Amino acid sequence: MSFEKILEELKTLKDVRPEICEKIKNHNLPVIIFGAAETAGRVANILKSYGVEIAGYAVDEKYFKPNQTYLERSVYNLDELVTTPEKYVFVLGCVGVGGEPPRIIEFLKDTKIIKYAFNESTIAKNLNYEYISANRAKFTETFYWLADELSKKTMIEFLKAKITYDIKCNFEIYYPSQYFNEITNGVTTPNGGGGYVDCGAFNGDTVKNFIDWSGGNYSKIFAVEADPVNFAALEKFIAEKNYKNVVAVNCGAWNEKTTLTFSDTNKTNAAVSAEGKIKIAADTIDNITGGEKIKFIKMDIEGAELPALQGAAETIKKFKPTLAICAYHKAADLITLPQFIKSLNPDYKFYLCKHTLASDTELVLYAIP
């Protein structure tokens, strides 16, 4: 399929949320959101914007605690509520990452309950048909750079989901293994696969995943985390695990050595922001790694991926590492990120994978040398 044909299809698509919300209201039943964390709160705000009132939240029995509340609403035991399914309407409030997808699929396939779901969207809200059409040549370039049909389908369905918010767009492209998978297999060797840079190391979860996946075959790991609260958790985790040759670096990955303002701490989406209330150190990956042979770079840094790649230019040109770069934080990510990587090494092959079922997050651009 040509990208022009894709554009013709995108032009006809509509936002599914107004129709879903009308159906929810027409049931005249209490509305319960399945989930009781940040995603559920965002889903509640979307529902309220369409005039849907929230009666409460629900979690599986193993997570349920008596008298629990979330956003001034009661949190119920879902297993108890579904014993009288005719009394409620349920709305999905989980994104589907890590261990959640099987439970989400089970929820969506449950024919005993009245349930609805839409693709939860929090970022790159200007990635709409008008933006895509205005940049059709650049999106077309990315599309034809993708190395396999699943990657091309992933790009198409991701763009459809941005326009429609239809959760079904994710079903055929969902790829469970993030970063360390069939695409990136082979970047390590039995005698040590070079260094690994984890930009957005958070609390050490992806450091652990890399070590488990590589079998410990690495020369050095640079775990880069800007958020001071997350960084404290990262240091503690590395010490408790007694990992060798793992260096925790408390700074942001950027295109120069500088000081930046940062948004709220202790969250997965803390980010560089002009409105931020704290100051953080920032540096380039070229400086941080100090000439170490780097064979794998992962980035999930809330929209700072392009400047971080710019700050890794010499490392990328010299060592040609495998790259796993989140490409969903900004509307231009699917344009600027592959373009910049190609400018450093035109031989990189690109793959695109979607690692969540019910949101527009965790779209990863893989560059394989």
Side-chain angles (χ1 to χ4, degrees):
M1 180 183 289
S2 71
F3 202 77
E4 285 300 319
K5 288 286 187 182
I6 296 166
L7 277 173
E8 289 177 18
E9 183 179 0
L10 294 180
K11 189 175 183 179
T12 67
L13 300 179
K14 305 290 185 184
D15 185 342
V16 301
R17 295 174 302 173
E19 182 179 351
I20 287 174
C21 289
E22 280 304 309
K23 289 180 179 179
I24 292 171
K25 287 188 283 188
N26 288 339
H27 287 290
N28 290 314
L29 292 171
V31 177
I32 305 293
I33 294 179
F34 174 35
E38 286 183 44
T39 298
R42 291 194 293 265
V43 168
N45 287 335
I46 293 167
L47 291 173
K48 290 174 185 176
S49 73
Y50 287 99
V52 177
E53 288 299 317
I54 310 303
Y57 301 85
V59 295
D60 289 329
E61 188 170 21
K62 63 181 177 180
Y63 301 114
F64 176 71
K65 297 177 183 177
N67 303 315
Q68 183 181 356
T69 62
Y70 182 66
L71 298 179
E72 300 180 347
R73 294 286 189 275
S74 294
V75 177
Y76 300 100
N77 183 336
L78 182 67
D79 298 274
E80 292 181 358
L81 296 187
V82 298
T83 61
T84 54
E86 71 281 359
K87 292 184 177 181
Y88 308 99
V89 175
F90 298 96
V91 181
L92 182 65
C94 314
V95 299
V97 67
E100 291 178 354
R103 182 64 186 94
I104 285 178
I105 292 169
E106 180 184 316
F107 171 83
L108 294 174
K109 287 184 176 180
D110 190 342
T111 57
K112 300 187 299 296
I113 63 174
I114 304 168
K115 79 282 183 184
Y116 294 92
F118 48 80
N119 202 52
E120 194 253 342
S121 179
T122 60
I123 46 186
K125 293 184 182 295
N126 59 328
L127 181 50
N128 49 32
Y129 172 77
E130 288 73 22
Y131 183 87
I132 298 165
S133 181
N135 293 278
R136 65 181 65 200
K138 295 175 182 178
F139 277 104
T140 300
E141 182 177 56
T142 298
F143 181 75
Y144 288 112
W145 275 341
L146 296 173
D148 66 357
E149 291 305 311
L150 178 58
S151 296
K152 291 176 180 177
K153 183 175 179 61
T154 297
M155 180 173 171
I156 294 168
E157 295 301 315
F158 176 76
L159 296 178
K160 285 182 182 179
K162 292 298 293 187
I163 295 168
T164 66
Y165 300 89
D166 191 339
I167 190 174
K168 294 191 294 293
C169 294
N170 299 325
F171 287 175
E172 292 185 19
I173 60 171
Y174 171 69
Y175 200 98
S177 301
Q178 188 168 2
Y179 305 131
F180 317 118
N181 49 40
E182 293 83 356
I183 295 170
T184 53
N185 278 345
V187 302
T188 60
T189 68
N191 296 318
Y196 166 56
V197 179
D198 189 331
C199 293
F202 187 44
N203 60 9
D205 53 350
T206 44
V207 170
K208 178 183 183 300
N209 291 344
F210 175 81
I211 292 174
D212 292 345
W213 171 75
S214 68
N217 296 320
Y218 61 87
S219 58
K220 196 170 186 177
I221 293 176
F222 298 89
V224 183
E225 175 56 49
D227 183 289
V229 178
N230 292 340
F231 181 75
L234 172 66
E235 279 196 309
K236 181 180 178 183
F237 179 79
I238 292 170
E240 289 175 347
K241 290 290 185 180
N242 196 30
Y243 286 142
K244 305 301 182 185
N245 298 319
V246 178
V247 179
V249 184
N250 189 197
C251 77
W254 202 244
N255 54 16
E256 62 177 338
K257 187 177 180 65
T258 187
T259 300
L260 301 170
T261 54
F262 207 66
S263 66
D264 294 340
T265 63
N266 198 23
K267 294 182 180 179
T268 57
N269 58 353
V272 174
S273 170
E275 291 77 37
K277 296 179 180 179
I278 64 172
K279 293 186 181 298
I280 61 163
D283 206 347
T284 68
I285 290 174
D286 290 339
N287 287 340
I288 291 167
T289 58
E292 182 81 22
K293 181 181 180 181
I294 301 300
K295 295 304 293 178
F296 197 117
I297 299 174
K298 163 256 171 182
M299 291 183 185
D300 184 2
I301 45 179
E302 307 304 317
E305 285 80 7
L306 182 57
L309 282 170
Q310 292 167 343
E314 295 307 313
T315 299
I316 293 171
K317 286 190 286 188
K318 183 175 182 180
F319 299 116
K320 301 178 177 61
T322 291
L323 307 174
I325 312 298
C326 285
Y328 61 90
H329 295 105
K330 293 186 175 181
D333 279 348
L334 283 173
I335 298 170
T336 58
L337 299 180
Q339 282 183 343
F340 182 73
I341 294 167
K342 277 285 189 182
S343 75
L344 300 178
N345 180 0
D347 294 330
Y348 269 112
K349 292 182 179 179
F350 291 127
Y351 297 84
L352 198 65
C353 288
K354 183 72 167 56
H355 300 293
T356 49
L357 267 176
S359 81
D360 58 356
T361 61
E362 309 312 317
L363 181 78
V364 178
L365 178 70
Y366 295 89
I368 308 299

